Each structure stands twice: as structure tokens, then as C-alpha cells.
Amino acid sequence: MTKKTKVGLIQLKISKNRELNINKAIKQINEAAKKGAKIICLPELFLNEYFCKVENHSNFKYAEKIPGKTTHMFCNLARQLKVVLIISLFEKKMSGIYYNTCVTINEKGKIISKYRKIHIPDDPGYYEKFYFRPGNLGFKNVKTKYGEIGSLICWDQWFPEASRLTALKGSEIIFYPTAIGWHPKEKRKFGSTQLDSWVTIQRSHAIANGIFVAATNRVGYEKKGNRKIEFWGNSLIIDPNGKVISRLNSKKSGILVCAIDFKKVENARQHWPFLRDRRVDAYRDLAKNSKND
Amino acid sequence: MTKKTKVGLIQLKISKNRELNINKAIKQINEAAKKGAKIICLPELFLNEYFCKVENHSNFKYAEKIPGKTTHMFCNLARQLKVVLIISLFEKKMSGIYYNTCVTINEKGKIISKYRKIHIPDDPGYYEKFYFRPGNLGFKNVKTKYGEIGSLICWDQWFPEASRLTALKGSEIIFYPTAIGWHPKEKRKFGSTQLDSWVTIQRSHAIANGIFVAATNRVGYEKKGNRKIEFWGNSLIIDPNGKVISRLNSKKSGILVCAIDFKKVENARQHWPFLRDRRVDAYRDLAKNSKND
């Protein structure tokens, strides 16, 4: 296994037209691969506008089987381009059971990992608890030709438990397909703090675990009724010292291709030996309800 | 219990003269109290130069009983000033059993909480594993007249597990008595990244838990043989949105007195409801050795 690779993040403005979204994603993946990206990650639920803006039963029509038509298409693409692909889908397991799921496909076109979003938000405009059963497959690490990788999804990124458990499984990089943005009414007053918190918490996962972190977000306005979100882009890659080494802006679709060297993980963990000093004997209350729950 | 209070952090340049250090600390505590501080925290092991720079058996002479002469003195001071004091001491439990311990004294002069540092570093110049048995009292929260407070110590600040468990016990603010600095030889190349990582990880605890974070550090050069550390000061207070609301610089001793409103904790947790969405059922591996251990 080589220690150097290139990572590609696809930042997308999503339209109402699903075919257009797929074609755009494929085009961008091709371009990232052409620039040498070996592990390519797409934003959360990139096939459609972010339907969780509202609670509407008709949106369940977007759910699909895994494996299914979409994974089949992206498996072919991964094989053609010889890249690892991380794609986020609205999974229908059976009637009544739906997940926010992330699939990792290897360079031979095979699905090698499936992660179901464990932390589900419910916030004005992010009504995910209405759609998704909380993930039941645990945290995931998968060995690929290009490195050991974990994937988490959006809201998971606020939970240090999630990044820690993924890192402990062996991941050297964690990918976060994401759909996060500003409520336009709040942006002026809270916008910069919110974005800064988002960057900071992800940098903290890199620091605490000595791990690369890569988040890819959608971008631009989406509107449904009176519910409007401006997705803030800012897809980024952070090194194991917590330094942002590559970042897109909040303005438009784009590709980020970034060379990374997994030896930095080893180096960071030797110099900041936090994993050595964890006190598992003192942590049991993390895994149960506290007296305050 | 009032929701507004004032917090005081004492940043100290520590000398070889223990009496001088104590007198300076007492003077600064008085000054902070005069400015209205109700909860006052001192740096880690502020009675002496940071003796863990080297492994030397003669340094065990600095260890003392708790309660003992020093706590007696600071209990009197707390009662006189009607303030809560958080002081960090080298605790001798019995011959062979020593801890890096933090004591909280209430405004009546009573010791109301004792925390023993759970994560013990061992790094060139920070040979704490030589001196301290890892803390065995668990994480701590204590109700005071001025708010519910937790205390952790220095190296603990790199572990999200520690801040999470303290927050879950009910703390609205976590204090970190600290002794951290630059190796002068590394400062030029890594200094700003190291300081930035330190600020970032503490901001992340505030964000992830919707809690105030206050860290107070020593400052200035200390030398023992060829071992030299420049303690970087930068004592700071962070609000529950992760914003640094008050901060000293890296140049000299000083007092930081900062008004805080614990209602911000409630507000942050309503708007960023991470505690609601923790998945204790998915975290059990945090509290045991992983396959990689």
C-alpha cells in the first residue's frame, strides 16, 4: 500500500433536475480523476436538492436500493477510472426503513463499505429525523488500494465520538459528505461564527486523532416554499496537525484535488501521542445514559 | 443560583522561589477578586517551576498532603474574599503514590471537589508519567454558588472524552489549569501551529458540548540543565459557541477577569442540539481497547 495519494472532493450546486445532477457529478469525477485524484468523494445526497428542508411524504420517492441502479452506475465509473468513489444516497432498505447512507466503491468497481449516518439532525430546515432511521451499522473503516479510509456524514461531524471511533478502527482519513448552509435570515448575524464553528470542529477531529479530515459540501441557494438555505461550500481537507491544506470557497461548484501523504498520520501521532494516553477505564459513562439524560 | 458571574484567570511567570510564587498568586487573586471575579483559577502546579522538565527524584519533595498547609492557606483566602478558588497541586497521597491534583474551594473556604489528572503526558520536557499516578477519581462536576463547574488539567485538554464526560455531569464551564509551552528550538518552525492547535482543540470542546471553557497557563522561560521551555501564556475564555471572548498574550503575567452568562449554555444547546443526538448505543468501543490497541 502506497502512503502518498491524491484526494478529490466534488463541491456541487444541485438543481431540481436529477439527470443533470448526475451528469454534472460524473463530469466532475472524470475531471478529478484526470487531475490524478484516487479517492473521490461527493456531497451528501447529491442526486437531488436537499429535500429534508421540508417534511413531505412525496420525497420518499427519492429513496433507492443499495446496491441498485445508482450504485451500479458509479461502480462502473469507478472501475473505468480506477478510482475509489464515496457516494451518498437515500437508501431504501424496505418500506418504512430508510437510511442516509454512504457507499465506498473500490477501483475495481466493487462496493467495499456501507456506512449509515449515525447522528441524525432535526432542526428548522433539516428535518432528517422525519426521513432517516438512525444508522445501525456502526462506524466504519475500510482498507483500499490508496489508504485506509472512514466515512461519516454531515451531522456526524459535530460528534467527537464518531471521529474517534472511526480513527480507532484504523482510518487515516475521514470523509464527510455534507449538506450544510446558512438560513439567509441568520447569515448576517451568525453566519461567520457558524462557518467558523464548522471548520473548527473538523480541525479538532484531525488534531485529536492525528488524522486527515476531508469534508465536501454542496453550494448555493435552494428553496422550497418559504424554506430557503444557502449551502456554504467551503469543502476542505485538513492535515493531521489540524491545518487546512486545501479549501474551496462558498461561491460555486468546483473540484479540489489535493496530494496527501499518510506518513503525516504516523508523524502526528508520534509527536502528539494522544491515542497512547486514552483512559478507556475512565470512559465507560460515554456509552450510557448519564444521570442528566 | 445566579446565571451571571465573573471568572478570573491568573497567568503567572513562575520563579525558583516558592514563597515568591505564593505571594504573587495571592496578590493576583486579591486583584481579580477586587475586579469582581467570583471563580478564580490558577495555572497548573503554580507553586514551583515546572519540575517535570526533568526526571529527578529530589522533586518529590514538592509533593504535599491534601488537605494540608497549602490548601489551608487558600481555603482561608477563599473565605476572606468570598470567591471560589481552583488550585493545582502536586498531591502526596502516601509514599509512592503521587497525583497531579486540582482542588476546588468554595466561598466559605471549604474544599468541595478534588480532581486528579486523568491523562498524563510523557514527552521530552514533560516527564509527568515519572511523577504522577494517573488520576483515579473520575471526571468531576461541582455545584457552586456561582455556577456548576468542572476542572480538568492541561494534557486532558487534548481529549474530547474528558470534556464530554465533564459536561455530561452538568458543568457549564470547564477550567483547565495548564503548563504548556514551546521548545525554543521548535518555536520558529512549529510554534504558531502548536499554539493554534491548542486554541482550536479547546474551542472544539466548547462547541461540541455547548459549554464555557477557561484555560490558564503559566508564561515565560524556565530552564533546567539543557532543558528549556517557553510557556506560552495565552490564557483564555471561550463561550459555548466556540468564540474566544477573552485572552491574554504570550508575554507576561496577568489577570483576566471576564463576565459570563451561563444562559448562553442553554441557548447554545438549544440551537446546536448535539447532546440530544448522542448515540450511546453506538459508543461502547470508546470505553474498551480496540483491535488496534
Side-chain angles (χ1 to χ4, degrees):
Chain A
M1 191 191 297
T2 172
K3 294 309 267 180
K4 284 191 186 180
T5 193
K6 277 190 179 175
V7 165
L9 300 185
I10 312 293
Q11 176 168 299
L12 291 171
K13 167 87 184 80
I14 311 288
S15 76
K16 291 191 195 310
N17 184 327
R18 185 182 172 102
E19 289 311 306
L20 202 70
N21 296 332
I22 292 179
N23 291 338
K24 205 154 130 186
I26 291 174
K27 195 180 151 204
Q28 304 272 57
I29 291 168
N30 270 283
E31 206 172 313
K34 215 154 101 182
K35 290 184 177 173
K38 295 299 180 193
I39 312 170
I40 300 172
C41 181
L42 283 102
E44 186 181 16
L45 303 170
F46 66 98
L47 296 182
N48 303 288
E49 283 200 330
Y50 182 68
F51 53 83
C52 314
K53 279 193 291 298
V54 294
E55 295 194 357
N56 189 331
H57 292 97
S58 75
N59 287 331
F60 284 98
K61 67 175 178 282
Y62 296 128
E64 60 187 298
K65 289 283 180 184
I66 296 176
K69 199 180 147 193
T70 304
T71 57
H72 189 64
M73 184 167 54
F74 284 97
C75 284
N76 282 337
L77 185 64
R79 197 180 58 241
Q80 282 164 29
L81 299 174
K82 296 192 178 59
V83 297
V84 170
L85 282 183
I86 299 162
I87 62 168
S88 158
L89 296 168
F90 184 11
E91 179 184 9
K92 179 175 185 171
K93 175 69 179 168
M94 60 176 269
S95 287
I97 300 192
Y98 307 85
Y99 295 101
N100 186 330
T101 299
C102 182
V103 162
T104 303
I105 301 164
N106 74 6
E107 80 290 349
K108 292 174 183 164
K110 193 181 158 200
I111 294 176
I112 51 171
S113 183
K114 188 164 81 167
Y115 168 73
R116 289 173 174 156
K117 188 173 184 173
I118 282 189
H119 302 96
I120 307 293
D122 188 297
D123 220 28
Y126 298 86
Y127 300 107
E128 296 197 17
K129 288 192 199 292
F130 176 72
Y131 295 101
F132 309 124
R133 184 164 192 255
N136 61 344
L137 300 179
F139 298 101
K140 294 284 185 173
N141 171 59
V142 63
K143 285 190 191 194
T144 75
K145 190 179 170 187
Y146 307 114
E148 293 202 45
I149 65 179
S151 46
L152 293 166
I153 303 172
C154 202
W155 193 239
D156 289 325
Q157 64 210 165
W158 300 99
F159 297 82
E161 292 91 344
S163 50
R164 178 70 96 204
L165 284 163
T166 303
L168 288 174
K169 283 178 182 290
S171 296
E172 299 169 305
I173 184 167
I174 300 176
F175 289 91
Y176 289 93
T178 298
I180 192 170
W182 295 294
H183 294 306
K185 281 182 190 168
E186 289 181 4
K187 187 180 175 186
R188 186 171 201 155
K189 191 166 176 194
F190 301 110
S192 66
T193 303
Q194 289 167 347
L195 175 56
D196 186 44
S197 291
W198 182 76
V199 173
T200 300
I201 198 78
Q202 292 180 93
R203 291 183 57 211
S204 80
H205 302 323
I207 294 166
N209 298 291
I211 194 170
F212 285 93
V213 168
T216 185
N217 193 16
R218 56 177 70 199
V219 70
Y221 285 94
E222 292 183 26
K223 197 182 168 194
K224 180 80 185 176
N226 59 1
R227 185 57 74 187
K228 205 172 170 184
I229 302 180
E230 182 188 354
F231 293 95
W232 67 42
N234 275 282
S235 301
L236 45 70
I237 297 183
I238 301 160
D239 80 7
N241 293 314
K243 201 172 155 190
V244 176
I245 51 174
S246 195
R247 181 171 175 174
L248 297 172
N249 64 29
S250 61
K251 305 291 182 207
K252 55 179 184 181
S253 297
I255 300 171
L256 179 164
V257 175
C258 180
I260 63 174
D261 185 346
F262 287 125
K263 280 189 188 148
K264 277 195 177 181
V265 172
E266 175 68 20
N267 187 273
R269 291 182 186 172
Q270 283 180 12
H271 285 80
W272 298 96
F274 309 134
L275 298 188
R276 179 194 66 189
D277 292 338
R278 293 183 71 244
R279 287 283 306 276
V280 293
D281 59 310
Y283 297 162
R284 60 184 176 280
D285 287 353
L286 287 172
K288 54 185 193 187
N289 283 315
S290 76
K291 73 173 176 62
N292 290 317
D293 281 304
Chain B
M1 192 189 300
T2 171
K3 294 308 267 180
K4 284 190 186 180
T5 193
K6 276 190 181 175
V7 165
L9 300 185
I10 312 294
Q11 177 168 299
L12 290 172
K13 167 84 184 84
I14 310 288
S15 75
K16 289 191 196 311
N17 185 326
R18 186 182 173 100
E19 289 312 306
L20 202 72
N21 296 332
I22 292 180
N23 292 338
K24 204 152 129 187
I26 291 175
K27 195 180 151 205
Q28 303 273 57
I29 291 168
N30 271 284
E31 205 172 315
K34 215 154 102 183
K35 289 183 177 174
K38 296 298 182 195
I39 311 170
I40 299 173
C41 181
L42 282 103
E44 186 182 16
L45 302 170
F46 65 98
L47 296 182
N48 302 290
E49 282 199 330
Y50 182 68
F51 54 82
C52 314
K53 279 193 291 298
V54 294
E55 296 194 357
N56 189 332
H57 292 97
S58 75
N59 287 330
F60 283 98
K61 68 175 177 283
Y62 296 127
E64 58 187 301
K65 288 283 179 183
I66 297 176
K69 199 178 146 196
T70 304
T71 57
H72 189 63
M73 183 168 53
F74 284 97
C75 283
N76 283 338
L77 185 64
R79 196 180 58 241
Q80 283 164 28
L81 299 174
K82 295 192 178 58
V83 297
V84 170
L85 282 184
I86 299 163
I87 62 168
S88 158
L89 295 168
F90 184 12
E91 179 185 8
K92 178 174 185 170
K93 177 67 179 167
M94 59 176 268
S95 284
I97 300 192
Y98 306 86
Y99 295 101
N100 187 330
T101 299
C102 182
V103 162
T104 303
I105 301 163
N106 75 4
E107 79 290 350
K108 291 173 183 163
K110 193 182 157 198
I111 293 176
I112 50 171
S113 183
K114 187 164 83 168
Y115 168 74
R116 289 175 174 155
K117 189 172 183 174
I118 282 188
H119 302 95
I120 308 293
D122 188 297
D123 220 28
Y126 299 86
Y127 300 108
E128 296 198 16
K129 288 192 198 295
F130 175 72
Y131 295 101
F132 310 124
R133 184 165 192 254
N136 62 344
L137 300 179
F139 297 100
K140 295 283 185 173
N141 172 58
V142 63
K143 287 191 191 192
T144 76
K145 190 178 171 187
Y146 308 114
E148 293 202 44
I149 65 180
S151 47
L152 293 166
I153 303 172
C154 202
W155 191 240
D156 289 325
Q157 65 210 165
W158 300 98
F159 296 82
E161 292 90 345
S163 50
R164 178 70 97 203
L165 283 164
T166 304
L168 288 174
K169 284 178 182 292
S171 296
E172 298 169 306
I173 182 166
I174 300 176
F175 289 90
Y176 289 92
T178 298
I180 192 170
W182 296 294
H183 294 306
K185 281 183 189 167
E186 288 183 4
K187 187 181 174 185
R188 186 172 202 154
K189 190 165 178 194
F190 302 110
S192 66
T193 304
Q194 289 168 348
L195 175 58
D196 187 43
S197 291
W198 182 75
V199 173
T200 301
I201 198 79
Q202 292 180 94
R203 292 184 57 213
S204 80
H205 302 323
I207 294 166
N209 297 291
I211 194 169
F212 285 93
V213 168
T216 185
N217 193 16
R218 58 177 70 197
V219 70
Y221 285 94
E222 291 183 26
K223 197 182 167 196
K224 181 80 186 177
N226 59 2
R227 186 57 75 188
K228 205 172 169 186
I229 302 179
E230 182 188 354
F231 292 96
W232 67 42
N234 275 281
S235 301
L236 45 69
I237 297 183
I238 302 159
D239 81 6
N241 294 313
K243 202 172 154 188
V244 176
I245 51 174
S246 195
R247 181 171 175 175
L248 296 173
N249 64 31
S250 62
K251 305 291 182 207
K252 53 180 186 181
S253 297
I255 300 171
L256 178 165
V257 174
C258 179
I260 63 174
D261 186 347
F262 287 124
K263 279 189 187 149
K264 277 195 175 180
V265 171
E266 175 69 21
N267 186 275
R269 291 183 185 171
Q270 283 180 13
H271 285 81
W272 297 97
F274 308 133
L275 298 187
R276 179 193 67 190
D277 292 339
R278 293 184 71 244
R279 287 282 306 276
V280 292
D281 60 310
Y283 297 162
R284 62 183 174 282
D285 287 354
L286 286 173
K288 54 185 193 188
N289 284 315
S290 75
K291 73 173 175 63
N292 290 316
D293 281 304

